[in-house]
Amino acid sequence: MKITALFGTESGHAEEVAFAIRAALGDHEVEAVNMADAGTDVFAPDTLYLIACATHGGGELPGFAQFLHDDLLDLQPDLTGVRYAMFGLGDSSYGERYNRGAKQFDELLAGLGAERVGPFGAHDELSREDPGPLGVAWAHEVLTLLTP
């Protein structure tokens, strides 16, 4: 199974998650891709997307993730057949805005026809947990659910 660990980050934590996933899933073909370098054509039905997206400021997407989000919103590509899992990074002290960046991407992808698989993973900055291992555990859980 081809896997893309797609990440949107400001502080580097989502990137850390993506690269930890790539290293941990060495028995799979995993490519880590920064949303800053991705166009709307990054999504293909033959790939599983493990998306790590941070929340910036008061509930916004990281800058370059916002560009990809806006392009998807403007172009409205049909993402039917695309499967993805979502991992949000944020700070729970922001209440309803906690992990809002990842939730925005989740809502948009689902609205374009993509299918979210597995649990919505989350890292809370207040926990002081290392997001890399937490993201790897989430990725393993997603893959376990997809393996017959």
Side-chain angles (χ1 to χ4, degrees), residues 5 24 27 54 70 78 89 99 104 112-113 115 130 133 138:
D27 53 334
D70 291 349
D78 180 5
L89 296 98
N99 280 333
Q104 287 179 61
L112 294 173
E115 174 190 5
D130 185 347
W138 162 80

Side-chain angles (χ1 to χ4, degrees), residues 46-102:
D46 65 342
T47 301
L48 172 65
Y49 296 87
L50 299 176
I51 303 173
C53 187
T55 299
H56 178 66
E60 294 85 36
L61 286 160
F64 289 112
Q66 184 70 56
F67 293 138
L68 178 58
H69 181 277
D70 291 349
D71 287 347
L72 288 165
L73 194 58
D74 290 344
L75 298 173
Q76 295 284 305
D78 180 5
L79 298 184
T80 301
V82 170
R83 295 179 310 157
Y84 70 97
M86 188 63 65
F87 186 87
L89 296 98
D91 180 330
S92 63
S93 70
Y94 283 87
E96 290 181 12
R97 295 174 291 178
Y98 171 57
N99 280 333
R100 184 67 192 132

